[in-house]
Amino acid sequence: MAYASGAMRSSIIAVIFLLSLAGTSSAQSLSTSFYSNSCPGVYDAVKSVMESAIAKEKRMGASILRLFFHDCFVQGCDASLLLDDTPSFRGEKTAAPNNGSARGFEVIDAIKTAVEKVCPGVVSCADILAIAARDGVVILGGPNWDVKVGRRDSTTASFNGANNNIPPPTSSLANLNSYFAAQGLSQKDMVALSGAHTIGLARCTNYRAHIYNDTNIDAAFAKKRQSGCPKTSGSGDNNLAPLDLQTPTVFENNYYKDLVSKKGLLHSDQELFNGGATDAQVESYVSSQSAFFAEFVAGMIKMGDISPLTGSHGQVRKNCRRVNN
Ligand code: HEM
Ligand SMILES: *[C@@H]1O[C@H](CO)[C@@H](O)[C@H](O)[C@H]1NC(C)=O
Ligand SMILES: *[C@@H]1O[C@H](CO)[C@@H](O)[C@H](O)[C@H]1NC(C)=O
């Protein structure tokens, strides 16, 4: 039979149509219009809390951006990081990359309260974190973009995942690439997303080895940082220094300028400009802030797409710190 009959052709088309429907419902994707009808007020609610939090403390924009990164790298962007420990539940907050360092949870609580007032039970904590991270970047002078939403919240967290998936500041370039590749992110994404370090602070314990022991660091800069970070581990561990030397509360391309002048604060930062494969990308961001902004936004959207819970998976938590009863 050379050609299917009309009837057979339409049943083949119907089968293909049903298969394609099945395909979309098992792997729903995020979209920028997910709350267009169910909660159009979510954006103003998040923005106004972020504006007052940042007016109170500029660093908060950085802290919330980092929460989003640390959430997404552990079982996807599912708000697993926001769950509190209980006697019977070990979450991610005390894992090494987060303990004593992840901050801003009370701002997320305040946003959740504001959003619940506008549309109760509709917006996930995972989406709130994604929107708040974007708003922090914008408020501090960075690029704007439409955030894809439709994530739901996990009922689980992973202490080991937080310890194993989030790159430590001692990482080499090769290690940084493998942590990001494990999340489906490229070297290009990694270098662009690291530009988040144009805002925020780090603790002495995380940069001590770099300022005392590394050679790819400007000598005067190392000395300056040593004055605020004692050599002996255990003393001054929590002393803070800006990740971007001059302007840690402004989101621009100065982080990459720091790297080119060997003034990266973390060992991992300076790895991006150390005679290797990523030097050219760093230099391109020094000469074009708009290239950095465009590639940072692309990286944020890609990071926000990591393993979301959608459809009927997970839940919309009432309180971001605990799963619903
Ligand atoms: C490339 C691998 C990365 C490493 C090794 C790394 C490591 C670190 C470390 C050690 C700190 C300081 C934490 C402390 O001392 O308390 C930090 C801070 C920060 N990180 Fe990263 N990070 C990386 C990528 C990222 C990404 C992809 C983002 C977001 C897109 C990000 C956003 C931030 C922000 C905004 C801060 C400052 C937070 C604050 O001031 O509260 N980092 N990072
Ligand atoms: C987290 O930090 C606190 C305070 O420094 C410490 O007592 C605790 O042992 C740490 N938790 C873990 C799991 O390392
Ligand atoms: C520097 O390296 C030496 C030799 O490996 C080590 O003993 C020392 O603890 C390091 N110092 C810092 C501040 O990391």
Side-chain angles (χ1 to χ4, degrees), residues 90-117:
R90 184 178 225 185
E92 297 167 13
K93 290 183 177 180
T94 62
N98 297 326
N99 198 19
S101 155
R103 63 196 295 282
F105 297 108
E106 64 299 325
V107 172
I108 299 300
D109 293 338
I111 296 172
K112 179 65 171 173
T113 300
V115 170
E116 287 296 300
K117 268 190 198 136

Side-chain angles (χ1 to χ4, degrees), residues 59 62-63 66 69 101 167-168 194 196-197 200-203 206 243 268:
R59 184 187 180 191
S63 302
R66 184 165 184 248
F69 163 49
S101 155
S194 295
H197 289 178
L201 309 176
R203 293 168 305 152
N206 282 320
L243 284 156
S268 51

